[in-house]
Amino acid sequence: MELRKFEFKSCKISLKLSKILENEDGFLEYIVCISSLIIGSILMLIPYESIDGNPVPTIIFKGLPSEFRAFVMLIIFAFAASYCAILMNTKVKFARFCRYYSMISMASAFAIFISAMFRNRWISQASEKEST
């Protein structure tokens, strides 16, 4: 009896998730588009250091230039795909592809950001241990 209740709840959750992903009003596209614009604006305001002639933010991506480049590229991809999905008709298959691509790009950028935070913290802790 308990197993059936669990299956019903998981089915209900997956139905809600599919409704969110297949929305008709483009709410998620607007969220991804606006959040990528905000992230891009914040990236222009934070301090940078030069590593091999390329600017890298000193706050999160210190010493991680390749991760910073991947993060910026994914933010650009998320913005472009969400903007395309907003401008297109929602019935077109390419609009659905753009919607999924924008969400995957934003999730990947978030994963790189979290990874860089933990790597930067781990590197700083290791350097503190070596100095003591």
Side-chain angles (χ1 to χ4, degrees):
M1 190 83 174
E2 291 295 321
L3 184 60
R4 289 184 184 173
K5 286 183 181 179
F6 179 75
E7 288 178 357
F8 178 72
K9 287 181 182 178
S10 65
C11 180
K12 197 173 188 180
I13 290 170
S14 66
L15 285 175
K16 285 182 181 179
L17 183 62
S18 67
K19 284 182 182 178
I20 289 172
L21 292 177
E22 293 293 329
N23 60 349
E24 296 295 324
D25 58 351
F27 183 69
L28 287 176
E29 289 89 3
Y30 286 111
I31 289 175
V32 170
C33 188
I34 291 170
S35 63
S36 61
L37 283 173
I38 290 171
I39 291 170
S41 300
I42 290 172
L43 284 177
M44 289 191 280
L45 298 174
I46 59 177
Y48 286 90
E49 68 180 357
S50 181
I51 297 178
D52 296 331
N54 297 317
V56 178
T58 57
I59 296 174
I60 301 294
F61 295 98
K62 185 173 185 171
L64 304 169
S66 59
E67 284 84 354
F68 175 65
R69 289 186 201 115
F71 177 74
V72 170
M73 291 290 290
L74 286 169
I75 294 296
I76 291 170
F77 290 156
F79 173 74
S82 65
Y83 193 69
C84 286
I86 289 170
L87 292 179
M88 288 182 156
N89 186 2
T90 57
K91 305 288 188 222
V92 180
K93 288 184 181 180
F94 189 69
R96 187 180 323 148
F97 171 75
C98 288
R99 180 183 309 128
Y100 291 145
Y101 191 73
S102 69
M103 287 186 266
I104 290 170
S105 296
M106 188 57 82
S108 300
F110 183 70
I112 288 175
F113 181 77
I114 297 298
S115 169
M117 279 181 31
F118 285 119
R119 285 180 75 188
N120 199 1
R121 185 175 176 192
W122 179 74
I123 290 169
S124 65
Q125 287 177 353
S127 65
E128 286 176 5
K129 287 181 182 178
E130 287 179 0
S131 64
T132 57

